[in-house]
Amino acid sequence: MAAPAVEATAATALRSVILRARKAAEHVGRDPERIRVVAVSKTKPVSLLRQIYDAGHRCFGENYVQEFIDKAPQLPDDIEWHFVGHLQSNKAKTLLAGVPNLAMVEGVDGEKVANHLDRAVSSLGRHPLKVLVQVNTSGEPSKSGIEPSSVVELARYVKLHCPNLVFSGLMTIGMPDYTSTPDNFRTLSNCRADVCKALGMAEDQFELSMGMSGDFEQAIEMGSTNVRVGSTIFGPREYPKKAT
């Protein structure tokens, strides 16, 4: 369980992040209400998430399926959950069954995982699931995501062949150390233009998920609609120690 002082600090940090996000949007003449802050809570205890929830926040993100399905049932069901990052195809149904209020998967990086998600939504009888296609904007082989040249093809596949998924936009993680550069953001923005043109989608209705703790203000100024902020709100990650 998190200490009360840590919880209070997290709630204060959340308010600061939301204020900074609003200012970044206003700085470039964007509507602050169109920016979503996803509080990425991987490795953090449920008590700390509850404190952020009690401060009024409703949008949270997790990265690991098992941790996600352990934590989600312990929290209110009006949370808008996002799964962030690479999802193994064989865990798609486990994830959806374990988190009925999953709002979005940020990380579809191939037809196989799209098909598994589509079938899982259908078999569980839940409402269509929003998904973002994950793009490798850095060219680093260690990063999940498809090459920018393949984005239109995968987006078209999801839109036309996965009736239980709602193709909603694109996401990127950035560099190997999870930072991003203006080039990464520009690449994703260019991919959005290509997809919108090819599929007849309006750019102002298209999600761009880019920007994390170290660069979310710059990402917003470059068009992000969805920023994923973890350590700036919750503090450094505490990964379990491996047995030696």
Side-chain angles (χ1 to χ4, degrees):
M1 180 174 286
V6 173
E7 294 177 347
T9 301
T12 301
L14 169 71
R15 285 190 286 271
S16 173
V17 165
I18 291 173
L19 181 62
R20 287 167 60 191
R22 293 184 67 89
K23 286 183 175 178
E26 290 167 351
H27 181 67
V28 290
R30 297 184 62 200
D31 179 1
E33 299 301 322
R34 299 291 297 273
I35 311 299
R36 181 192 301 111
V37 174
V38 182
V40 180
S41 45
K42 64 182 178 184
T43 78
K44 298 303 178 182
V46 167
S47 60
L48 191 51
L49 276 68
R50 183 70 201 218
Q51 187 74 12
I52 298 296
Y53 176 92
D54 289 344
H57 200 64
R58 292 294 179 270
C59 189
F60 292 81
E62 290 284 341
N63 299 75
Y64 307 120
V65 172
Q66 189 58 52
E67 180 186 0
F68 202 168
I69 63 177
D70 288 344
K71 287 159 76 169
Q74 302 179 58
L75 289 154
D77 59 12
D78 65 337
I79 286 178
E80 178 189 325
W81 286 110
H82 289 219
F83 180 85
V84 179
H86 174 68
L87 174 65
Q88 292 176 269
S89 298
N90 62 356
K91 294 185 178 179
K93 190 168 184 178
T94 302
L95 173 63
L96 267 66
V99 189
N101 50 329
L102 182 67
M104 181 180 284
V105 169
E106 301 191 34
V108 170
D109 56 7
E111 293 180 7
K112 184 179 179 181
V113 71
N115 288 333
H116 278 255
L117 284 168
D118 186 62
R119 289 197 293 269
V121 171
S122 177
S123 67
L124 292 167
R126 59 156 283 161
H127 55 80
L129 175 70
K130 291 182 179 180
V131 298
L132 304 182
V133 165
Q134 184 172 350
V135 184
N136 183 338
T137 57
S138 66
E140 296 286 343
S142 61
K143 285 290 169 211
S144 297
I146 59 168
E147 295 300 313
S149 60
S150 302
V151 171
V152 170
E153 183 181 359
L154 181 55
R156 181 182 284 117
Y157 182 88
V158 173
K159 194 167 174 60
L160 298 181
H161 299 288
C162 299
N164 300 293
L165 304 181
V166 181
F167 171 67
S168 301
L170 306 174
M171 72 87 77
T172 189
I173 288 178
M175 305 298 282
D177 60 357
Y178 294 95
T179 61
S180 293
T181 68
D183 286 342
N184 297 141
F185 298 151
R186 202 169 291 115
T187 296
L188 201 68
S189 185
N190 290 341
C191 287
R192 173 179 62 181
D194 293 342
V195 171
C196 287
K197 182 178 179 181
L199 302 185
M201 299 177 69
E203 288 198 22
D204 63 353
Q205 300 298 314
F206 193 99
E207 296 260 14
L208 279 189
S209 177
M210 57 188 195
M212 300 169 72
S213 284
D215 50 30
F216 70 88
E217 288 154 305
Q218 182 182 44
I220 289 169
E221 291 178 359
M222 296 185 70
S224 179
T225 64
N226 188 87
V227 294
R228 309 176 308 268
V229 182
S231 58
T232 297
I233 296 172
F234 294 106
R237 303 287 176 216
E238 297 169 5
Y239 295 98
K241 290 185 172 65
K242 292 182 179 179
T244 55

